[in-house]
Amino acid sequence: MARSYTIASVSELRNLPRVDKVLRVEKLQGFPAPVRLAAARSAVAQMRAAVQAGVQAEKFDVEEAAVQMAKALSERTLVPVINMSGVVLHTGLGRARLAPSVVEGLVAMAGSHSALEFDLEGGNRGDRQEHVKELLLELTGAEDALAVNNAAAAVVLGLAALASGREVILSRGQMVEIGGSFRLPEIVGESGCKLVEVGCTNKTRISDYENAITDSTAAILRCHPSNFKIVGFTEEPSLVELVSLARSRGIVCIDDIGSGCLVDTTLFGLPREVTVQDSLRGGADLTIASGDKMLGGPQAGLMLGPKETIARIRKHPLARAFRIDKLTLSALESTLRLYREGRELEIPTLKYISKPL
């Protein structure tokens, strides 16, 4: 339906100030030219909408509107905040804070060139993964490791490399929804795999997995439900049971443990959190974990397992699409070094959760 105007509003619309006139407002002169122009155009557009809604033109302060818009355009929206939520790892507040020494290294790396993919001793092309690979192997006992830009990407990449075009089995009790309303079944679908659901929400038995395996099955996926808990009448097979079944049927077992914990949380008087080391000792063909959350570093996806498995993943084209950048690598390397040096309680996440009530 066409918008109708009163005679008075049509007259006022014709007399709206020109953008170039608003540009000359004294209070706008301290802002960069592109900001002034955008603010002036926005203010005139706001005034036009107000007049169309019945507001008298003389009651709309277009100059003040332009100044407020210029201020808004000039301010960063991603700013530091004080976390008073009581939640240590709050997704909306950026999850893990980095340790002070990690931040120092990150600032230095951001403002300079780096030996990201350059062998300083041999003068040849290097591998960016080498900056964190040996640290991950030393801390976890894995044979090989690969870091990508986040854990969801690690799931897609791992499944695409190891099971694309085939079936992947997942318990209904582990079909989690992660941040931003993204659901694990949808992520699995993007890897080119067919998801096979087994069990019930509260109970999934090893026999459910066994009965679901066919000639088209490539993998069993276990996903740790890190953001919710089902209690009471529950049952699920252990990782050892799943690995044993997978090996007996010639398929792989992928363990997405979520948080990326490297320490025994019972030392802090907390319930035990599954660690990366637990998953690897359980025999998972591929362990996937986060670089932030309980590890306390930057957002990253950690993929650990046998050399042959990681080699297949590293060669997949998506490995380039999910490649980790230099700033994330810098923060991850520095965080892992704190663990190796026995200084993990300098990491804010562990410092917070280790405090007694």
Side-chain angles (χ1 to χ4, degrees):
M1 180 180 295
R3 186 189 297 270
S4 60
Y5 304 108
T6 64
I7 296 177
S9 67
V10 171
S11 175
E12 290 178 320
L13 285 171
R14 290 173 177 170
N15 293 321
L16 288 176
R18 292 168 55 91
V19 170
D20 58 353
K21 179 181 178 181
V22 181
L23 273 173
R24 294 193 291 271
V25 171
E26 183 177 352
K27 291 183 179 180
L28 282 180
Q29 302 315 303
F31 295 96
V35 172
R36 293 201 308 273
L37 180 58
R41 285 174 172 170
S42 175
V44 173
Q46 290 177 48
M47 185 175 184
R48 179 182 297 108
V51 170
Q52 290 172 347
V55 176
Q56 293 181 354
E58 61 267 20
K59 292 185 177 181
F60 187 90
D61 192 337
V62 69
E63 294 186 4
E64 182 61 22
V67 171
Q68 293 305 316
M69 177 56 66
K71 289 180 178 179
L73 292 172
S74 300
E75 294 174 351
R76 293 188 302 155
T77 55
L78 184 58
V79 296
V81 299
I82 297 174
N83 180 5
M84 298 179 67
S85 69
V87 179
V88 174
L89 293 170
H90 193 301
T91 298
L93 302 180
R95 287 208 284 240
R97 284 181 57 189
L98 299 178
S101 60
V102 175
V103 174
E104 291 177 9
L106 186 59
V107 171
M109 193 60 56
S112 67
H113 295 290
S114 64
L116 177 65
E117 291 187 353
F118 195 82
D119 179 359
L120 293 176
E121 294 185 2
N124 302 313
R125 178 72 177 266
D127 181 359
R128 67 179 59 202
Q129 295 289 333
E130 293 301 321
H131 300 291
V132 295
K133 175 182 170 181
E134 293 305 320
L135 288 165
L136 287 169
L137 303 191
E138 181 181 337
L139 292 169
T140 66
E143 285 187 14
D144 204 353
L146 181 72
V148 293
N149 56 17
N150 65 40
V155 173
V156 172
L157 174 58
L159 290 175
L162 303 177
S164 182
R166 301 179 66 190
E167 295 176 352
V168 175
I169 301 174
L170 176 67
S171 167
R172 290 187 174 91
Q174 298 172 7
M175 293 187 180
V176 300
E177 178 175 297
I178 59 177
S181 300
F182 291 102
R183 296 177 174 177
L184 190 60
E186 296 169 353
I187 293 174
V188 171
E190 289 301 314
S191 68
C193 300
K194 178 183 178 182
L195 182 66
V196 176
E197 306 173 8
V198 297
C200 295
T201 302
N202 60 322
K203 283 203 172 192
T204 303
R205 300 180 177 87
I206 192 68
S207 58
D208 294 319
Y209 289 92
E210 189 171 11
N211 293 335
I213 295 175
T214 69
D215 292 340
S216 299
T217 305
I220 292 174
L221 173 63
R222 189 176 86 147
C223 179
H224 181 56
S226 57
N227 57 357
F228 71 95
K229 186 180 292 292
I230 300 175
V231 297
F233 193 58
T234 63
E235 179 182 346
E236 66 177 14
S238 67
L239 175 61
V240 172
E241 291 178 288
L242 293 175
V243 169
S244 177
L245 173 61
R247 289 180 178 172
S248 71
R249 304 296 288 271
I251 60 178
V252 298
C253 182
I254 300 172
D255 192 21
D256 178 6
I257 69 167
S259 72
C261 187
L262 293 177
V263 298
D264 182 1
T265 51
T266 62
L267 298 175
F268 309 138
L270 298 172
R272 180 172 177 78
E273 177 75 14
V274 176
T275 66
V276 176
Q277 298 92 318
D278 291 335
S279 178
L280 291 167
R281 283 193 293 265
D285 296 291
L286 175 64
T287 296
I288 295 173
S290 292
D292 56 353
K293 299 179 185 175
M294 287 294 291
L295 193 144
Q299 176 179 289
L302 308 181
M303 310 179 74
L304 306 105
K307 288 182 179 295
E308 180 182 353
T309 301
I310 301 300
R312 288 175 62 186
I313 295 170
R314 187 178 284 113
K315 292 177 182 178
H316 195 278
L318 283 178
R320 177 62 176 81
F322 298 143
R323 187 173 69 173
I324 193 170
D325 78 297
K326 68 174 184 179
L327 298 183
T328 307
L329 269 172
S330 172
L332 181 58
E333 178 189 7
S334 297
T335 302
L336 293 173
R337 288 187 180 278
L338 290 177
Y339 281 96
R340 188 174 71 175
E341 296 168 9
R343 298 165 55 196
E344 60 268 21
L345 290 186
E346 293 180 23
I347 299 170
T349 298
L350 297 185
K351 181 179 179 180
Y352 295 156
I353 67 172
S354 65
K355 286 184 176 181
L357 289 177

